[in-house]
Amino acid sequence: ELQVEIDAARAAELGLTVADVAAVVETAVGGIDVSLYRERGDEFDIVLKSDESVLQNPDSLREIEITTASGRTLPLSSVASVIETGGPTSIEHIERERSVTLTINIEEGVALQTVIDEIEERIATPLRESLPPAYRIELSGSADDLWRTLVALSGTLILALIITYLLLTALFESFIYPIVIMITLPVAATGSLLGLALLRNLAEFNVITMFGFVILIGIVVNNAILIVAQTLNHMRLEGQSPRPALEHACMNRLRPIFMSTLSSILGMLPLAIGTGNGSELYRGLGIVVVGGLALSTLFTLILVPSVFILFLRLGETLHGQRPEEEELVPHHP
């Protein structure tokens, strides 16, 4: 192909702009529409272009004439260089921008996220540091689909948190007790991340793994719900003060909590450490649920009562009395 590189400074000295020179080259090579001819209801474009001999060799293109504002005629070579070089056999575009596509096929059994991380670390990042500003590197195809899915699941995770909080608010008729219950979620998330870190050779963070965090939101709050609900029953129905009510609730619900949690962990354990064809797809989900349940259960009997008492004392400080003191203690006839 022939590339025309315009000397903008030289053109400015002669009273020409880059657009003026480009218009002459465009007219000589491809032609431009200058008018419209109508005859018997039909319309025909009138195209102005140079003789075909201009395209026969680079010298002919260099000699095409350009007229300056002062009326002086100069050859193209006086304001531009015509370079003969190799060009692509075809020009691909993505969103109207020229592009070069490299297709990568993934071996069977290799996770997509692993390949993306390797490409970003070993190829894309070093190239971005050396490429000119006009160039950029983007991952598309399955990698782009994965990123969009992760963004969508992040919104789903936030929506699940909001729905869970509103549901607990409606059930307990309070905005405070759901906070006490959902305080176990960060602990569960920590357990899930620790499980993924310890078993990173078996599973990794991907789309299926994120589903595990969504499922965990609905499971891990059950233990805290048992403690808070039983504590409120002792306070409202039996007139106990908060601390004895919490002690009795923890003692009464300790066995059901460990039974339900242990059955859930044992049920998910084969999914977390299982082997076989396709097991790597769902292994991360199992690790997230098992790790989150295990750690949150260990801390529920310590964290939930502590936060419950903290909120009650905060209510005493703000209102001068316990929130349950007037309306929750029954009046005996």
Side-chain angles (χ1 to χ4, degrees), residues 138-156:
E138 293 182 355
L139 300 180
S140 60
S142 299
D144 190 38
D145 294 339
L146 176 62
W147 173 251
R148 288 199 299 266
T149 303
L150 289 175
V151 172
L153 281 177
S154 300
T156 303

Side-chain angles (χ1 to χ4, degrees), residues 90-95 97-104 136-141:
S90 63
I91 300 176
E92 298 180 357
H93 290 81
I94 296 178
E95 297 181 355
E97 294 188 6
R98 291 191 177 189
S99 65
V100 176
T101 302
L102 301 179
T103 303
I104 299 174
R136 70 176 187 270
I137 298 176
E138 293 182 355
L139 300 180
S140 60

Side-chain angles (χ1 to χ4, degrees), residues 284-295:
L285 186 148
I287 292 174
V288 165
V289 175
V290 170
L293 275 176
L295 190 64

Side-chain angles (χ1 to χ4, degrees), residues 20-31:
D20 295 334
V21 180
V24 173
V25 175
E26 182 183 3
T27 303
V29 176

Side-chain angles (χ1 to χ4, degrees), residues 25-37:
V25 175
E26 182 183 3
T27 303
V29 176
I32 60 172
D33 296 338
V34 294
S35 184
L36 196 65
Y37 175 73

